[in-house]
């Protein structure tokens, strides 16, 4: 999930949590008699609401439809949370009518990871391709040791490995996010 989506997700969940907390607190206060003992013994639906519901046959159908829609929206939201921004394969042909050549994203990321893992001071590499097959984005995490030359490592990753990958994929642009993580230390983030 991108930053904007994650921020929106946190905001919506926080807002929903506050609303439910306030409603629950009001219900608890009402039931315990904070607003008077008469209110705590009153039915949840007022006489006017019950009269309206019994006089209009569509009312309970509308309530049922609203509940089903709310449930489906909740299920959709839950499924979106588990979705990964991963591309299983890349389309290599710009013109599909001339043929189709596909390359698995795992093959691409494995080759890139193997190349970067051989650089001096590198202790581990994680790579994945997100976005879409037509507009892929590279997400790269490079773990390095304290004795590594960070400037040289960054220069090699951005100036050699990613440039070579762009050339191999025959793409002018391949947006990349590179995270350089000191093993046992702080993380540095570079957006290309």
């Amino acid at each position: 999930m991108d930053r904007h989506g994650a921020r929106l997700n946190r905001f919506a969940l926080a807002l929903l949590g506050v609303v439910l907390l306030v409603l629950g607190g009001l219900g608890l206060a009402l039931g315990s008699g904070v607003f008077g003992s008469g209110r705590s013994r009153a039915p949840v639906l007022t006489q006017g609401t019950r009269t309206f519901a019994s006089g209009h046959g569509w009312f309970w159908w509308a309530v049922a439809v609203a509940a089903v829609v709310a449930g489906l929206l909740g299920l959709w939201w839950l499924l979106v949370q588990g979705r990964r921004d991963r591309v299983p394969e890349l389309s290599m042909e710009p013109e599909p009518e001339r043929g189709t050549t596909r390359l698995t994203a795992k093959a691409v990321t494995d080759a890139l990871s193997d190349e970067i893992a051989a650089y001096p001071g590198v202790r581990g590499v994680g790579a994945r391709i997100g976005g879409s097959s037509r507009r892929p984005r590279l997400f790269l995490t490079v773990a390095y040791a304290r004795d590594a030359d960070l400037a040289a490592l960054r220069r090699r990753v951005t100036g050699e490995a990613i440039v070579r990958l762009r050339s191999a994929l025959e793409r002018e642009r391949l947006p990349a996010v590179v995270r350089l993580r000191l093993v046992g230390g702080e993380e540095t983030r570079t957006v290309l």
Side-chain angles (χ1 to χ4, degrees), residues 17-86:
V18 167
V19 168
L20 290 176
L21 186 66
V22 167
L23 289 175
L26 284 174
L28 188 61
L30 183 67
S32 62
V34 170
F35 300 113
S37 62
R39 292 287 297 156
S40 66
R41 292 193 180 107
V44 174
L45 296 177
T46 64
Q47 183 61 38
T49 306
R50 288 185 296 214
T51 303
F52 180 81
S54 65
H56 298 85
W58 56 265
F59 179 79
W60 292 115
W61 285 104
V63 169
V65 167
V68 166
V69 167
L72 290 175
L73 284 173
L75 182 62
W76 171 79
W77 174 82
L78 188 63
L79 292 173
V80 166
Q81 300 309 306
R83 188 180 72 196
R84 287 273 195 204
D85 182 25
R86 284 191 187 265

Side-chain angles (χ1 to χ4, degrees), residues 3 126 139-144 146 150 154 177-191:
R3 281 189 193 163
F139 298 94
L140 186 64
T141 302
V142 180
Y144 63 94
R146 290 190 185 279
L150 184 57
R154 182 180 181 276
V177 175
V178 179
R179 288 188 173 100
L180 300 173
R181 185 172 52 89
L182 176 63
V183 176
E186 295 294 317
E187 181 178 291
T188 305
R189 184 166 188 220
T190 304
V191 178

Side-chain angles (χ1 to χ4, degrees), residues 112 115-116 119 156-166:
L112 181 66
E115 177 182 349
I116 295 172
Y119 293 168
R156 286 195 75 185
V157 168
T158 60
E160 293 177 25
I162 294 177
V163 170
R164 195 175 352 263
L165 178 63
R166 285 179 182 147

